[in-house]
Amino acid sequence: MDASAVTRFAPSPSGYLHLGHAYSALFAARAAAEAGGRFLLRIEDIDQGRARPDFEAAIFEDLAWLGLTWEEPVLRQSERMDLYRAALETLQRQGLVYPCFCTRKEIAAEIARAGAAPHGPQAALYPGTCRGLSEDEREARRAEGRSYALRLDLAAAMAAADAGGPLTWTDRERGVQVCDPRGEGDVVLARKDLGTSYHLSVVVDDAAQGVTLVTRGTDLFEASHLHRLLQALLGLPAPDYHHHRLVTDEAGKRLAKRHDSLTLRSLRDAGQSAAAVIALAEQRALA
Ligand code: GLU
């Protein structure tokens, strides 16, 4: 028993919860219950262009229908932009962040020009076009009024964090991991339109909420390497991680927004009980 254990479920209110969310929420709630700890809910609504109040209301309703309870008040990321900005400034002061003026189109063209493989995770990595701009070049682009994102200079960040010996983190299933975020590249920490990003906000909030065990799908395993690095650079404690299996559809594909028939509300409207939906989520996570 670890009564100080804190877990969380952190959905974005940009759609209805589906079977995969149910599995993830239950996984986090059970991990807290088994430890005699606390389960938190966090609304990840930094993208106000996609977040909708009716989706947020549906999150509460659907989770309650599944039988889950969580602590109040529920933290809402859109109310915490100042904290993300402060964290960004901490990284900027360390010289680990640079402005990136590239458009998506320019990045794609640059990747193609560099002859990157047409598939695989590496192909999607930012090629570092703006990393080497001089201060004058940056100023000139800003003066033209060009908008920019802020990216992490990953190599510099790793060098800064590793100064005290290699960083590690623990996944409850796969064991101790040596922190290696190279698969993520020079990630965007502040989007052009938002001033923050999923990665930055999640790291700030997991620490602010005292989360000791981050549970989420294996699709975010690589991101956890990056989050550990950001924790080290921001002087935040490192939680443990437990990456769980992904729920798939009948064809073995992971669930996405297009799976309207597998949202919790359509299953409920079709007459399914919460117990049956939970059983289905578990069965599909093992498929
Ligand atoms: N809002 C993120 C998502 O829905 C949370 C992922 C996480 O647990 O860190 O994918």
Side-chain angles (χ1 to χ4, degrees):
M1 292 281 275
D2 173 11
S4 62
V6 181
T7 69
R8 56 34 166 212
F9 175 58
S12 294
S14 55
Y16 290 120
L17 299 184
H18 54 54
L19 268 188
H21 294 111
Y23 185 80
S24 211
L26 286 158
F27 194 96
R30 278 185 193 149
E34 277 161 20
R38 299 159 52 207
F39 169 65
L40 309 177
L41 178 61
R42 181 166 75 227
I43 299 295
E44 301 217 321
D45 59 350
I46 53 172
D47 192 341
Q48 286 286 294
R50 295 180 62 216
R52 278 182 19 195
D54 54 325
F55 287 139
E56 185 184 301
I59 288 172
F60 300 138
E61 199 181 298
D62 292 348
L63 294 179
W65 177 71
L66 285 176
L68 292 176
T69 55
W70 53 89
E71 283 185 18
E72 300 281 353
V74 170
L75 188 143
R76 206 175 271 110
Q77 289 193 320
S78 57
E79 293 165 0
R80 299 170 54 77
M81 291 296 180
D82 289 353
L83 291 137
Y84 311 141
R85 195 167 312 122
L88 193 60
E89 282 165 12
T90 302
L91 299 173
Q92 283 176 306
R93 276 197 298 276
Q94 298 173 63
L96 304 176
V97 174
Y98 63 89
C100 169
F101 301 87
C102 297
T103 60
R104 273 168 208 245
K105 225 167 144 186
E106 284 165 348
I107 295 173
E110 183 61 33
I111 289 170
R113 207 168 22 245
H119 46 72
Q122 296 297 327
L125 290 188
Y126 177 65
T129 322
C130 286
R131 192 191 308 121
L133 292 180
S134 68
E135 212 29 72
D136 284 350
E137 288 168 319
R138 286 173 185 166
E139 247 344 290
R141 282 167 174 73
R142 283 197 195 99
E144 281 168 28
R146 287 177 59 177
S147 59
Y148 55 90
L150 292 171
R151 288 185 182 273
L152 182 70
D153 181 337
L154 188 70
M158 286 174 71
D162 278 349
L167 279 181
T168 58
W169 57 280
T170 301
D171 179 78
R172 294 261 171 107
E173 197 137 325
R174 297 202 219 171
V176 176
Q177 308 289 313
V178 173
C179 178
D180 182 2
R182 279 174 299 179
E184 298 284 310
D186 283 3
V187 286
V188 169
L189 294 179
R191 279 169 46 176
K192 285 180 184 176
D193 56 338
L194 300 183
T196 186
S197 61
Y198 158 68
H199 294 303
L200 186 66
S201 308
V202 96
V203 163
V204 167
D205 287 342
D206 282 337
Q209 294 190 282
V211 172
T212 62
L213 175 63
V214 173
T215 64
R216 58 190 180 197
T218 49
D219 53 331
L220 286 165
F221 193 89
E222 290 302 321
S224 296
H225 281 287
L226 174 72
H227 296 180
R228 177 69 187 100
L229 174 63
L230 293 176
Q231 286 150 8
L233 297 169
L234 293 168
L236 302 174
D240 272 6
Y241 289 81
H242 195 153
H243 294 89
H244 61 69
R245 289 156 174 268
L246 299 176
V247 172
T248 55
D249 67 8
E250 298 77 4
K253 285 217 179 66
R254 72 171 281 220
L255 297 188
K257 297 250 154 64
R258 64 181 179 279
H259 287 89
D260 283 345
S261 61
L262 294 178
T263 63
L264 300 183
R265 46 199 47 214
S266 49
L267 291 164
R268 184 172 71 212
D269 291 347
Q272 299 261 16
S273 68
V277 167
I278 292 169
L280 182 62
E282 271 158 12
Q283 180 204 328
R284 296 248 50 100
L286 293 173

